Amino acid sequence: MEISTLATYHCLAFVWYFFVAYSIAHIKTEERPSEVFLYGGQWKYLTVLNLVLQAVFYGVSFLADVLRLIKKLRCAKCVISSRDLLFSVLAFPVSTFVSVSFWTLYTYNRELVYPKSLDGVIPLWLNHAMHTAVLPFALLEIFALPHRYPAKKKGLILLGFVAFLYISWVLWIYSVTGEWVYPLFALFSPSGLAAFFAGSLAVVVSFYNFGEFLNRMIWGQFEF
């Protein structure tokens, strides 16, 4: 794509994700089911955190495009490095995981991840914006321009560290409230939950590898 076209696309994507994140963050308090929005508010849900992540990523991408357009190449190079690291390690694997895992569990038993009580609170379009649209956006980004992936070890360490932080946040919320972020977790024994977290991490890693594979197949191989 031309830089101007990329800048337009990244700007629109940033505005979209900002709007979606704003919409979910400003659901009226009296409309929220008390059993859903407890300690941690929306910020305990990976879906909502992913919206913020995507908004940040597309904001950084737009900044990189603007810097290239105005010929600030030295600054652009630094921002592009940050953009590519953010996309490869987090933006692509997390958004793919959110979409695939949500709809898989929703199809099996929606009460495990998205209780029916939310239907009267979160509009259908917002549900799809959070859980469906994130996947085609991520794929389109790979096809739109090349991204430099970090060395495999570096990328997986960073991804694993972020996963550890989120799992720690989930466990902390449970220790404070006695309630799990997702009803699904209550079905597991401690060892079963550990296995579930390990399996989920393995799935996220597979999405990381898938993104790297697509990027390499389309644009060729290059690393930080």
Side-chain angles (χ1 to χ4, degrees):
M1 285 188 186
E2 295 289 335
I3 298 177
S4 57
T5 304
L6 281 174
T8 301
Y9 163 64
H10 285 144
C11 180
L12 291 174
F14 168 73
V15 171
W16 167 251
Y17 275 113
F18 183 87
F19 170 70
V20 174
Y22 179 87
S23 297
I24 194 66
H26 287 78
I27 293 175
K28 293 180 180 179
T29 304
E30 61 270 18
E31 295 179 351
R32 300 175 180 177
S34 59
E35 72 275 12
V36 175
F37 293 93
L38 294 169
Y39 184 88
Q42 297 100 322
W43 309 111
K44 61 177 174 283
Y45 297 111
L46 185 60
T47 295
V48 178
L49 295 175
N50 180 57
L51 293 176
V52 176
L53 169 64
Q54 300 304 318
V56 170
F57 165 70
Y58 283 106
V60 171
S61 298
F62 177 60
L63 175 60
D65 297 334
V66 170
L67 290 173
R68 291 173 67 193
L69 283 171
I70 63 176
K71 307 300 182 182
K72 298 289 185 179
L73 299 183
R74 181 175 297 181
C75 293
K77 184 177 181 180
C78 179
V79 176
I80 288 171
S81 294
S82 299
R83 177 202 70 189
D84 288 348
L85 187 64
L86 188 59
F87 177 77
S88 60
V89 174
L90 293 177
F92 182 84
V94 173
S95 60
T96 306
F97 177 79
V98 164
S99 183
V100 173
S101 62
F102 174 82
W103 288 113
T104 299
L105 292 170
Y106 185 98
T107 301
Y108 174 71
N109 182 354
R110 65 168 298 175
E111 294 298 321
L112 297 177
V113 290
Y114 194 82
K116 193 172 180 61
S117 58
L118 286 177
D119 286 347
V121 179
I122 299 177
L124 182 62
W125 73 266
L126 189 53
N127 181 24
H128 283 292
M130 295 188 296
H131 298 116
T132 307
V134 292
L135 182 55
F137 264 108
L139 292 172
L140 180 58
E141 180 66 21
I142 282 188
F143 284 94
L145 74 161
H147 296 83
R148 289 184 179 272
Y149 269 68
K152 180 76 73 175
K153 182 178 180 179
K154 177 182 178 181
L156 293 182
I157 287 175
L158 290 173
L159 178 59
F161 177 70
V162 173
F164 171 78
L165 290 179
Y166 180 68
I167 292 172
S168 297
W169 174 228
V170 168
L171 294 176
W172 171 258
I173 291 173
Y174 177 74
S175 71
V176 172
T177 67
E179 299 287 340
W180 288 110
V181 171
Y182 298 102
L184 169 68
F185 296 162
L187 301 178
F188 295 106
S189 64
S191 58
L193 188 62
F196 177 82
F197 285 148
S200 297
L201 179 58
V203 172
V204 175
V205 168
S206 71
F207 289 143
Y208 173 93
N209 290 329
F210 177 62
E212 184 180 34
F213 170 77
L214 281 181
N215 188 75
R216 183 173 63 249
M217 291 296 294
I218 298 168
W219 302 105
Q221 177 69 45
F222 49 103
E223 296 182 340
F224 283 113

